[in-house]
Amino acid sequence: MNQAAMTKLRKNGTLTIGALFGLFSLLMMALSAFQIKQDELNMVTRGLYDPRAVAFTFEDLGQAIDWKEIDTDRPFTVFTNPDEPIRGFYYQRETYIPPMISGRFFKENDFYRGQKYIVVGQAIDQQTIDNWQQQGYRLLGIMGASYASAIDHLILVNLDAMEQGKPAAYYNEDGEPVASEIYVINSHDKLIVGDELHFNHHTVFRVNTIAREDVGVFRFLEFSLFQIIISVLSHVLIFSLTLLFSFYWLEKQRTECIILWHLGIQLRKPYSRYALTLFGLLSISYGLIGILTLSWMLIFNHNLQTIIFHTNNMLIGYLLMLLAISASISLGSWRVKKTIYRRVVSKVL
């Protein structure tokens, strides 16, 4: 591109609007990174419990629990011993995967295969790990964030291995059934209806739910509302800035549009060119920054859930900025038509 073309692009504001689109794209990526880090902080601070998790005990276990037989095809995660460092763990379809120092987290096919697995926090010493391995457990991975958190001292055991050898029912000294140990379920669906947990083959267990304040693990500040407010405000800000500066750039082209109209050229033609310019600048700047951030995540973050979440955020941000540009084009076209109409009316009068 020669010097004259560069000077023209600088004078008509094209280089400036391209740089601004790059800045707005970077802000959108930063927002996505903030949301990812905030979600991570919330989950590891709670010890991997979801804010909507339900704690409960079974009233009377007449038979052993087979967690893969819960009557739902939706994702859920089950923990035992919610206030203890050693916890049973099971999930169906998908679950939150914490940051890993080494190795991997549980996979769905690790359960009910007759195997014994553990995933430990980064603060667990080697001697403790060796003791578990001597009992036949295989270490899958070590979890931990770049900061101290509640998961550092956890030992997660595949739930089917932990419950091997436990009684099918719990009784007191008088032979009367008593409540089981505490379980916690993470699920977006309401699996416990009333005081019943339904399993396949019409099997129903009666449960007692436990208020959150009675389980120490739930005593954490809720950040969900704060995250929603920050996300909404940030998206509104980026949309508004994109709309404002796109409209400003189109206003700088208004004189050219009016001249072309006097030459008999329809407004649709220059505005089609302006739209292609704005969409092209956005696609190039957003695409380059998006590829760089996604490449960084693929190299340094192997959590598939995080990568998918970031990709979705990228697409939402791109569509939001496209919408803002489309709105600015409609507004700019209306302004030019209004100016031309006034000039025509003034000549007639």
Side-chain angles (χ1 to χ4, degrees), residues 191-249:
L191 297 181
I192 297 176
V193 181
D195 59 353
E196 296 179 341
L197 181 59
H198 292 254
F199 286 71
N200 294 329
H201 311 298
H202 307 289
T203 302
V204 178
F205 289 99
R206 294 184 63 83
V207 300
N208 293 314
T209 57
I210 303 172
R212 292 189 176 189
E213 60 269 20
D214 295 335
V215 183
V217 67
F218 291 115
R219 296 170 186 167
F220 293 98
L221 178 64
E222 295 289 350
F223 292 107
S224 299
L225 181 59
F226 171 75
Q227 281 185 269
I228 293 173
I229 293 173
I230 291 295
S231 179
V232 170
L233 290 178
S234 299
H235 282 87
V236 169
L237 176 63
I238 292 174
F239 177 87
S240 302
L241 290 175
T242 304
L243 173 63
L244 176 64
F245 285 103
S246 298
F247 179 72
Y248 171 75
W249 182 83

Side-chain angles (χ1 to χ4, degrees), residues 87-142:
R87 300 176 187 172
F89 179 87
Y90 172 80
Y91 78 91
Q92 175 177 289
R93 295 189 62 179
E94 62 183 56
T95 190
Y96 174 78
I97 299 176
M100 302 297 295
I101 301 296
S102 63
R104 67 171 177 86
F105 197 62
F106 289 100
K107 295 181 179 179
E108 193 173 5
N109 58 8
D110 289 331
F111 305 99
Y112 292 99
R113 297 296 178 90
Q115 302 296 319
K116 296 181 176 182
Y117 297 115
I118 57 171
V119 175
V120 303
Q122 60 182 335
I124 302 300
D125 60 84
Q126 188 60 47
Q127 181 61 48
T128 301
I129 295 174
D130 291 341
N131 291 339
W132 280 91
Q133 290 177 328
Q134 290 171 8
Q135 298 176 49
Y137 286 87
R138 174 188 167 193
L139 176 65
L140 295 179
I142 300 175

Side-chain angles (χ1 to χ4, degrees), residues 183-195:
Y183 293 86
V184 174
I185 284 187
N186 289 350
S187 177
H188 294 293
D189 297 326
K190 190 174 182 180
L191 297 181
I192 297 176
V193 181
D195 59 353

Side-chain angles (χ1 to χ4, degrees), residues 274-302:
Y274 299 154
L276 287 175
T277 300
L278 290 174
F279 291 149
L281 288 172
L282 174 64
S283 299
I284 292 172
S285 59
Y286 200 92
L288 286 175
I289 294 176
I291 290 172
L292 288 175
T293 57
L294 189 58
S295 300
W296 183 87
M297 294 194 70
L298 289 171
I299 295 172
F300 296 102
N301 190 320
H302 303 291

